[in-house]
Amino acid sequence: MSRARLERVRAAAGIVKLALQQIEDELGGPGDAEFLAGMLRELFDEAFPQDGVFGSLNQLLTTASRAAALTTLDSEDTESAACAIEEAAALVADSAGMRLHLATSTLHPQGERP
């Protein structure tokens, strides 16, 4: 059963990679500051951080942290793993997200999510 679950995760991760590649391809063509800011807001929008790609990744990592805490390893090991995953989730939202917000505000300060 665990193998089937891992295969489903691999398939879903493959879909995510294809979607990110499509976004990257859109960046290869001509664009302007408003377009780039809009694209960045889809990744992280300070007004709605849970709605962007980074918000989804943060939620996924938070769930993974909870799962790590419930694994059947030595309790110190699971706590350490859970803490590391939780820190990664915070870095996605806080550090990377806020840096994108700064870039977005610089590119198109008056822009709002349509």
Side-chain angles (χ1 to χ4, degrees), residues 43-60:
L43 299 178
F44 180 84
D45 186 346
E46 186 182 30
F48 306 98
Q50 71 282 359
D51 291 348
V53 172
F54 281 21
S56 295
L57 183 56
N58 176 283
Q59 181 61 41
L60 173 68

Side-chain angles (χ1 to χ4, degrees), residues 65 68-69 71 73-87:
S65 174
T71 59
L73 296 175
D74 178 352
S75 66
E76 286 184 31
D77 291 338
T78 59
E79 288 176 24
S80 177
C83 183
I85 297 168
E86 190 65 34
E87 287 176 10

Side-chain angles (χ1 to χ4, degrees), residues 5-106:
R5 289 174 67 192
L6 184 55
E7 288 300 319
R8 287 193 301 270
V9 168
R10 283 187 180 135
I15 292 168
V16 170
K17 289 176 189 177
L18 287 173
L20 291 173
Q21 182 61 52
Q22 183 175 356
I23 294 169
E24 188 176 342
D25 291 347
E26 289 297 328
L27 292 170
D32 58 17
E34 185 176 353
F35 166 77
L36 186 54
M39 188 279 304
L40 292 173
R41 280 189 190 92
E42 294 303 318
L43 299 178
F44 180 84
D45 186 346
E46 186 182 30
F48 306 98
Q50 71 282 359
D51 291 348
V53 172
F54 281 21
S56 295
L57 183 56
N58 176 283
Q59 181 61 41
L60 173 68
L61 291 172
T62 299
T63 302
S65 174
R66 289 185 199 124
L70 298 173
T71 59
T72 57
L73 296 175
D74 178 352
S75 66
E76 286 184 31
D77 291 338
T78 59
E79 288 176 24
S80 177
C83 183
I85 297 168
E86 190 65 34
E87 287 176 10
L91 285 172
V92 166
D94 298 338
S95 185
M98 291 312 295
R99 283 178 171 78
L100 282 185
H101 173 68
L102 175 63
T104 301
S105 297
T106 301

